[in-house]
Amino acid sequence: MRIGIALSSGGAKGWAHIGVLRALLAAGITPEVVAGTSMGAIVGGAYAAGRLDALEEFARRMDRKAALRLVDVNIGGSGGGLILGERVATALRDVIGTHEIVGLDRKFAAVATELGTGHEVWLNEGDLITAMRASYAMPGIVLPARVDDRILVDGGVTNPVPVSVCRAMGADIVIAVPLPAGPSTGVRFKRLPQASTATAWQQAIATFREPERFVAAQLFGDKPDTLTTASVSVAALNILLDRMTRVRLATDPPDVIVQPDIKGIAVLEFDRADEAIRVGTEAAKATLPQIEALMRAPQRDGQV
């Protein structure tokens, strides 16, 4: 009986997926099919490549300074993203290594969204890190990815919890791990200067002298209840993901839902991996009896 796991988007909340996988593996439950969206693609891809230990070590070492070092400024703001997203991809390649998806230990697909058509795209071949990079291209925050002449953004726009992908790849039992929207910021943002967008960028960069510091202020500022490009984009995407998650779970119901109670961690709080992993572990442990019962049940006509 083949177990599949669908790991959702959710930014920093997605570190909880590591805890979920840890609890399953400790109980002798080994997912053979993995589909992930955004952070789910990162954790799921690491697991499929046999590099979950390395990713967990990387996550637990992450602090605010380490997160800031991964911010590569898209100077001028053209191209559709505040940051380029390549430093994250490089860091992931250092941690996970270079792998072709078809050669991974487990069947794997990352979900992205084609910007021009709105189509859901399943990346189940080619370079693993390239697939992750496309899947985590958060609209307005991370520059879209170009893969095979297609412009791709975060898969959460179309399929934040890819249960359907697991089914299509042959999973008999599908465990879904949706992550709640929760707060959009948590780490608060500073207000943009009161001027046109272009002038605001010029003034802010001139004030800070270093564009990295400007973007860092936009992502990790400390004044509450203010609006910036980053905070509005993340808040809007959070609302979209929450609604889309409900729709997809209703139309593509999994066999088991593992629901980490992780609302208190914000999308950009990547320095809270210890807490997120612990919450993910606890949530998965609570569902072990349900999963084990399904695994013991006889199959009828190819169905559990």
Side-chain angles (χ1 to χ4, degrees), residues 221-277:
D222 56 8
K223 290 185 179 180
D225 303 322
T226 58
L227 297 177
T228 69
T229 300
S231 65
V232 171
S233 295
V234 172
L237 185 60
N238 243 353
I239 294 168
L240 170 65
L241 294 181
D242 184 61
R243 302 300 188 272
M244 184 59 71
T245 294
R246 296 181 192 182
V247 170
R248 293 306 297 249
L249 288 176
T251 57
D252 300 316
D255 298 288
V256 179
I257 294 179
V258 176
Q259 182 73 80
D261 184 12
I262 203 165
K263 289 182 179 179
I265 295 179
V267 172
L268 300 177
E269 291 185 303
F270 289 99
D271 56 332
R272 297 178 67 182
D274 288 348
E275 180 182 350
I277 292 170

Side-chain angles (χ1 to χ4, degrees), residues 40-66:
I42 292 174
V43 176
Y47 165 72
R51 298 290 293 167
L52 188 63
D53 288 349
L55 184 67
E56 180 174 354
E57 182 181 351
F58 172 77
R60 290 187 185 276
R61 289 199 315 264
M62 182 75 66
D63 57 18
R64 187 70 56 81
K65 290 183 178 179

Side-chain angles (χ1 to χ4, degrees), residues 51 68 103 116 185 198 249 253 266 292 294:
R51 298 290 293 167
L68 286 174
T185 57
L249 288 176
E292 290 165 349
L294 285 170

